[in-house]
C-alpha cells in the first residue's frame, strides 16, 4: 500500500479582530481541501492569530512548527500555506526558514500562488516573491524622496517645520518678522568677530537675545548646535538644500537605521526671500572650514599668548595677537607683546594703533583683578550657589517626550496598516485596490518617521549641548574658588584656555594710564557676582575703581 504524504498547515492573520473572521477560516478551509485533493494527511495545524508577518519573532506557533520539523515529530514532507505572505513578509526570514525546513526534508507549498519549493522553479519563485514586498516598499520610498527632491529643484520647501527665521504659509516659506533679527545677529557676530560657534551662542544668551518658543525648539536659550544649524543651512541665503541628513542602514545590522549628516548635497535656487546675502553665507562657510584648523604659531612651545584674541584694539576694535621680539644681544632675552595686525583691513579702514604692549605686565594685571574678585566672600558664596543650581532642560525634555510620542503613534499607524494589509480578504472583489491604497499609506509613514527621528536627534543634541555648557560653567566656577592656587601652577597654555572660557573680551585704553593701567573694561562670558551684584562687565575706566581692585590684591 502506498504511503500517504504527511503535511502541516500553517495559517496567520495580523489583527485580533480577524481571529474568528472569514479570512482565517478561509485559509484553513482551502488548505484542508487542497490536502484532501492531493491525498495528504494533515499531521498538525498551526495558527498565529493577531501577529504581523514582518519577522518570525513573536510568532510562537510558527516557531513551534519549525521545532517540530527539526525534531522529526510527525515525519511530514510539506508545510501548506495559503499564500507566501502568510509564511512571512521579510525576505531574509522566508528564505532562512525555508532553508531550515529543507534541511530536514520538508518543502513549502503556497496553494494560492501555485508554488512548490520541492521544484527548482518553485524555490526560485519563492526567492523572487519574498523579496518583492521589500523591493516595492523601497521603490515607493525612493519615489517619495524623488518627489521631494523635485520640489527642491523647483525651489519649494519640501516638508517639515519651517527653519527658524521663517514661517510656513500654504507650503511657502515667508520671513518671520519676530525671528529674522536673531538670524542676522548670528551671521553678523560669527563673520565679523573672532567668536566661534560656542562664543556666538554665549553672546546671544547674554546680550538680550531671546529665541522664540516654537514647535521645533521650545527653549529660549541659544545652544552651539542651534548656531551651527543656522550657519550651515543655505536656506538663509535663499537656497533650498536636499539631503543634508539621510537615514542610512547601520552597518552590521539587518533593519536598524540611523541619521547621517552628509558632507555633500545638492543646493537649488529657492522661491523664498533670503535673510542674508550669499556673500555672507560663503564667508561663514569659509570660517567654518578653517576654524577647526586655526592655530597660533609660537616659537617657544612652553609659551602661550594668554590674552591673544581676547584683547581688543582701542582704535579699530579688532583682536590683538601675540608677537615675538627675538632675543637681544644685550640680555639674550626673548620678549613677547600684544599688537594689532589690522593696520589695513579688507574694507580699507586704517588702524592707527601701532603700540606693542608687553605681555607679562598685562597678563599679570588681568590675573590680579580676577584674584581680587574671587577673594570677596560674597563672590565665593554666590559661585557655590551657582554650582549647585540644576540645569533646566525641562521644556526640551517635554518636547523630546512629545516627539517620541509622535514617533510611537506613527509607528503604530504603520503597524496597523501592515496588519490591515496582512488581513485583507483574498476573495474580496476589491482586494487589489484596497491593497494598493493601504500600501501607499503604509509607505508614506516612512517619510513621517524619518522627519520625526531627525527632530528627535536635534532636540537630544540641544539637551546635550545645554548640559555640556552647564558642566563647562561649573568647571570654571570650581576653578575660580581656588583661583590663585590653580592658576599660578598652571601652564601658560592652560591659563590661556581658562581666560578664553571666562572672559569674552578686554577693552583697552588707547594709551597707558598714569597709574600704569591699560584696561578699560572686562566683559565676561557669563554674569559673575561682583560686590554682591550679578555683572556681565567690570568697567575700570576710573582710576579709583582700578586702585580699589588692586589694593584688595596687595592687602592679601
Amino acid at each position: 500500500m502506498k504511503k500517504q504524504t504527511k503535511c502541516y498547515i500553517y495559517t496567520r492573520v495580523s489583527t485580533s479582530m480577524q481571529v474568528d473572521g472569514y479570512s482565517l477560516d478561509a485559509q484553513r478551509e482551502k488548505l484542508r481541501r487542497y490536502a484532501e485533493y492531493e491525498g495528504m494527511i494533515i499531521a498538525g495545524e498551526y495558527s498565529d492569530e493577531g501577529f504581523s508577518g514582518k519577522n518570525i519573532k513573536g510568532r510562537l506557533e510558527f516557531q513551534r512548527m519549525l521545532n517540530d520539523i527539526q525534531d522529526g515529530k510527525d515525519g511530514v514532507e510539506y508545510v501548506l500555506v495559503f499564500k507566501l505572505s502568510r509564511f512571512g513578509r521579510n525576505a531574509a526570514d522566508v528564505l532562512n526558514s525555508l532553508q531550515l525546513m529543507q534541511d530536514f526534508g520538508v518543502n513549502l507549498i503556497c496553494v494560492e500562488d501555485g508554488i512548490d519549493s520541492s521544484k527548482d522553479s518553485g524555490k526560485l519563485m519563492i526567492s523572487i516573491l519574498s523579496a518583492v514586498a521589500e523591493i516595492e516598499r523601497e521603490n515607493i520610498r525612493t519615489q517619495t524622496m524623488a518627489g521631494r527632491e523635485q520640489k527642491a529643484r523647483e525651489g519649494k520647501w519640501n516638508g517639515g517645520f519651517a527653519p527658524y527665521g521663517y514661517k510656513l504659509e500654504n507650503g511657502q516659506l515667508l520671513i518671520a518678522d519676530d525671528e529674522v533679527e536673531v538670524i542676522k545677529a548670528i551671521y553678523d557676530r560669527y563673520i565679523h568677530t573672532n567668536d566661534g560657534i560656542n562664543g556666538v551662542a554665549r553672546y546671544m544668551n547674554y546680550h538680550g537675545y531671546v529665541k522664540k518658543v516654537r514647535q521645533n525648539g521650545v527653549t529660549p536659550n541659544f545652544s552651539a548646535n542651534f548656531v551651527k544649524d543656522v550657519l550651515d543651512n543655505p536656506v538663509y541665503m535663499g537656497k533650498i538644500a536636499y539631503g543634508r541628513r539621510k537615514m542610512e542602514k547601520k552597518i552590521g545590522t539587518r533593519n536598524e537605521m540611523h541619521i547621517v549628516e552628509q558632507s555633500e548635497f545638492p543646493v537649488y535656487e529657492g522661491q523664498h526671500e533670503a535673510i542674508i546675502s550669499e556673500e555672507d553665507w560663503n564667508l561663514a562657510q569659509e570660517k567654518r572650514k578653517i576654524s577647526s584648523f586655526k592655530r597660533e604659531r609660537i616659537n617657544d612651545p612652553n609659551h602661550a599668548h594668554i590674552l591673544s584674541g581676547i584683547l581688543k584694539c582701542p582704535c579699530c576694535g579688532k583682536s590683538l595677537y601675540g608677537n615675538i621680539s627675538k632675543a637681544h644681544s644685550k640680555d639674550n632675552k626673548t620678549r613677547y607683546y600684544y599688537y594689532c595686525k589690522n593696520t589695513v583691513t579688507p574694507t580699507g579702514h586704517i588702524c592707527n594703533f601701532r603700540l606693542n604692549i608687553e605681555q607679562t605686565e598685562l597678563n599679570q594685571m588681568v590675573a590680579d583683578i580676577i584674584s581680587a574678585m574671587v577673594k570677596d566672600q560674597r563672590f565665593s558664596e554666590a559661585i557655590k550657589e551657582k554650582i549647585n543650581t540644576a540645569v533646566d532642560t525641562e521644556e526640551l525634555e517635554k518636547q523630546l517626550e512629545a516627539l517620541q510620542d509622535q514617533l510611537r503613534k506613527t509607528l503604530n499607524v504603520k503597524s496597523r496598516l501592515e496588519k490591515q494589509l496582512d488581513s485583507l480578504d483574498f476573495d474580496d472583489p476589491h482586494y487589489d485596490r484596497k491593497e494598493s491604497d493601504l500600501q501607499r499609506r503604509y509607505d508614506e509613514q516612512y517619510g513621517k518617521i524619518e522627519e520625526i527621528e531627525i527632530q528627535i536627534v536635534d532636540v537630544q543634541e540641544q539637551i546635550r549641548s545645554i548640559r555640556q555648557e552647564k558642566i563647562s560653567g561649573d568647571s570654571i566656577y570650581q576653578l575660580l574658588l581656588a583661583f590663585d592656587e590653580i592658576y599660578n601652577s598652571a601652564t601658560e597654555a592652560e591659563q590661556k584656555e581658562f581666560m578664553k572660557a571666562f572672559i569674552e573680551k578686554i577693552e583697552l585704553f588707547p594709551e597707558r594710564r598714569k597709574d600704569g593701567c591699560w584696561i578699560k573694561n572686562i566683559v565676561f562670558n557669563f554674569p559673575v557676582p561682583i560686590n554682591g551684584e550679578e555683572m556681565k562687565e567690570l568697567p575700570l575706566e576710573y582710576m579709583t575703581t582700578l586702585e580699589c581692585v588692586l589694593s584688595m590684591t596687595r592687602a592679601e
Side-chain angles (χ1 to χ4, degrees):
M1 183 177 178
K2 184 178 179 181
K3 179 182 176 183
Q4 282 189 292
T5 302
K6 292 182 180 181
C7 69
Y8 288 149
I9 67 173
Y10 175 74
T11 55
R12 178 179 63 81
V13 290
S14 298
T15 62
S16 57
M17 293 170 57
Q18 294 292 331
V19 168
D20 298 318
Y22 174 76
S23 293
L24 184 58
D25 288 340
Q27 290 179 57
R28 287 172 177 159
E29 184 59 30
K30 290 185 179 182
L31 293 177
R32 288 167 183 165
R33 288 206 304 265
Y34 180 87
E36 182 181 359
Y37 179 79
E38 293 292 336
M40 294 182 181
I41 296 175
I42 299 175
E45 294 187 6
Y46 303 82
S47 182
D48 280 311
E49 302 170 350
F51 291 98
S52 166
K54 183 178 179 181
N55 55 56
I56 65 173
K57 292 179 180 178
R59 289 202 280 156
L60 302 180
E61 282 290 279
F62 186 84
Q63 294 180 8
R64 184 170 72 87
M65 180 183 72
L66 293 182
N67 289 334
D68 288 346
I69 289 172
Q70 293 178 76
D71 293 340
K73 179 182 175 184
D74 299 297
V76 298
E77 297 179 38
Y78 286 97
V79 169
L80 307 184
V81 296
F82 182 62
K83 287 176 71 73
L84 183 61
S85 63
R86 301 303 89 198
F87 190 72
R89 294 175 70 89
N90 180 290
D93 282 340
V94 167
L95 298 178
N96 289 338
S97 299
L98 177 59
Q99 186 60 58
L100 185 150
M101 287 166 46
Q102 289 186 322
D103 288 344
F104 290 89
V106 179
N107 279 289
L108 176 68
I109 292 179
C110 307
V111 174
E112 190 73 5
D113 297 325
I115 298 173
D116 183 346
S117 70
S118 65
K119 301 173 183 178
D120 291 340
S121 60
K123 187 170 183 180
L124 175 61
M125 188 59 67
I126 288 174
S127 300
I128 295 170
L129 290 180
S130 61
V132 164
E134 293 183 22
I135 294 172
E136 285 181 347
R137 289 192 189 100
E138 186 59 31
N139 284 342
I140 293 174
R141 183 174 179 276
T142 300
Q143 290 168 12
T144 301
M145 301 310 290
R148 291 186 176 185
E149 184 170 10
Q150 181 57 36
K151 287 184 71 176
R153 286 196 188 98
E154 295 169 2
K156 300 176 182 177
W157 184 245
N158 53 18
F161 295 123
Y164 197 90
Y166 288 97
K167 58 185 176 180
L168 203 56
E169 291 186 5
N170 299 320
Q172 300 291 318
L173 287 181
L174 302 177
I175 290 179
D177 294 334
D178 55 347
E179 297 177 356
V180 67
E181 288 306 316
V182 161
I183 302 301
K184 291 179 178 178
I186 287 174
Y187 274 90
D188 182 66
R189 185 74 186 174
Y190 187 73
I191 293 170
H192 299 112
T193 73
N194 289 317
D195 281 355
I197 288 174
N198 287 296
V200 172
R202 283 194 298 267
Y203 177 85
M204 300 295 286
N205 284 325
Y206 293 116
H207 284 80
Y209 291 93
V210 178
K211 182 152 62 72
K212 181 184 173 185
V213 174
R214 59 189 305 198
Q215 71 271 34
N216 60 334
V218 298
T219 175
N221 296 322
F222 293 87
S223 68
N225 188 65
F226 177 84
V227 173
K228 170 184 173 296
D229 285 345
V230 167
L231 293 172
D232 289 349
N233 196 340
V235 72
Y236 296 111
M237 64 166 173
K239 309 285 187 180
I240 294 290
Y242 176 77
R244 293 172 63 215
R245 294 171 174 171
K246 286 187 179 179
M247 291 292 293
E248 295 183 0
K249 181 178 176 292
K250 284 187 178 180
I251 301 299
T253 67
R254 179 172 295 174
N255 296 311
E256 287 188 60
M257 307 290 284
H258 64 153
I259 298 169
V260 179
E261 296 274 357
Q262 304 298 307
S263 57
E264 296 183 3
F265 47 84
V267 177
Y268 305 102
E269 196 68 40
Q271 295 184 5
H272 62 286
E273 183 181 351
I275 292 177
I276 54 108
S277 69
E278 187 169 344
E279 179 184 5
D280 280 351
W281 194 83
N282 287 329
L283 285 173
Q285 300 319 297
E286 287 301 315
K287 183 174 177 180
R288 292 278 289 119
K289 289 177 183 176
I290 66 175
S291 60
S292 59
F293 301 102
K294 188 175 180 180
R295 298 288 185 272
E296 189 176 64
R297 190 175 67 183
I298 56 176
N299 291 358
D300 183 353
N302 297 316
H303 179 83
H305 305 295
I306 295 173
L307 301 177
S308 175
I310 298 174
L311 297 171
K312 301 301 174 181
C313 175
C315 175
C316 68
K318 297 296 180 70
S319 297
L320 300 188
Y321 293 93
N323 194 12
I324 299 173
S325 176
K326 293 182 179 180
H328 292 285
S329 56
K330 292 182 179 180
D331 56 10
N332 197 32
K333 184 178 180 181
T334 300
R335 289 173 171 80
Y336 300 94
Y337 300 93
Y338 294 116
Y339 81 111
C340 180
K341 62 182 179 182
N342 299 298
T343 52
V344 180
T345 67
T347 60
H349 174 73
I350 299 175
C351 178
N352 296 316
F353 190 73
R354 308 287 180 173
L355 299 177
N356 287 335
I357 304 175
E358 208 278 323
Q359 287 189 14
T360 303
E361 178 185 1
L362 199 51
N363 292 346
Q364 190 59 50
M365 186 175 293
V366 174
D368 287 344
I369 291 171
I370 297 174
S371 178
M373 287 168 47
V374 302
K375 288 174 182 176
D376 186 332
Q377 182 63 30
R378 290 170 297 180
F379 180 92
S380 176
E381 291 172 356
I383 287 294
K384 288 176 182 177
E385 186 176 331
K386 282 179 176 292
I387 293 175
N388 293 327
T389 302
V391 61
D392 183 14
T393 57
E394 182 180 354
E395 291 300 321
L396 279 174
E397 297 284 357
K398 288 180 181 177
Q399 183 186 359
L400 179 60
E401 186 177 340
L403 285 170
Q404 289 171 334
D405 185 54
Q406 260 186 289
L407 181 60
R408 282 192 295 269
K409 289 178 179 177
T410 307
L411 289 170
N412 286 337
V413 170
K414 175 175 165 288
S415 179
R416 286 198 300 271
L417 289 169
E418 185 178 85
K419 290 176 181 178
Q420 289 176 47
L421 274 168
D422 288 342
S423 61
L424 282 174
D425 186 347
F426 301 106
D427 291 330
D428 188 326
H430 303 296
Y431 175 84
D432 290 339
R433 293 180 63 183
K434 288 182 178 179
E435 183 184 41
S436 176
D437 180 58
L438 287 170
Q439 189 70 54
R440 176 185 57 77
R441 291 167 58 195
Y442 177 81
D443 289 305
E444 285 175 355
Q445 304 310 307
Y446 281 102
K448 295 179 181 178
I449 290 168
E450 181 174 346
E451 185 175 312
I452 295 170
E453 287 177 333
I454 288 173
Q455 292 175 44
I456 285 174
V457 170
D458 182 61
V459 174
Q460 288 173 332
E461 177 59 27
Q462 289 184 55
I463 293 173
R464 186 205 63 77
S465 177
I466 290 173
R467 287 175 175 167
Q468 185 59 47
E469 287 176 10
K470 168 65 175 172
I471 293 170
S472 299
D474 282 354
S475 298
I476 296 297
Y477 292 142
Q478 294 280 9
L479 194 154
L480 286 170
L481 290 176
F483 177 77
D484 286 343
E485 179 182 349
I486 296 176
Y487 188 82
N488 292 330
S489 62
T491 65
E492 289 189 348
E494 290 169 338
Q495 291 174 348
K496 181 174 181 177
E497 287 303 310
F498 167 78
M499 290 298 186
K500 285 173 60 179
F502 186 44
I503 299 175
E504 179 184 323
K505 65 180 178 180
I506 298 174
E507 298 170 349
L508 303 177
F509 292 114
E511 58 184 29
R512 189 203 304 263
R513 298 280 294 267
K514 291 182 179 179
D515 63 349
C517 180
W518 280 103
I519 302 172
K520 181 179 181 181
N521 187 36
I522 300 178
V523 181
F524 303 104
N525 282 322
F526 42 81
V528 293
I530 301 174
N531 296 327
E533 296 182 12
E534 291 279 313
M535 298 177 64
K536 183 74 166 46
E537 298 188 24
L538 178 62
L540 300 175
E541 190 167 356
Y542 302 102
M543 187 187 306
T544 53
T545 305
L546 179 60
E547 286 177 339
C548 180
V549 171
L550 293 181
S551 65
M552 292 170 59
T553 305
R554 289 193 291 267
E556 293 297 321

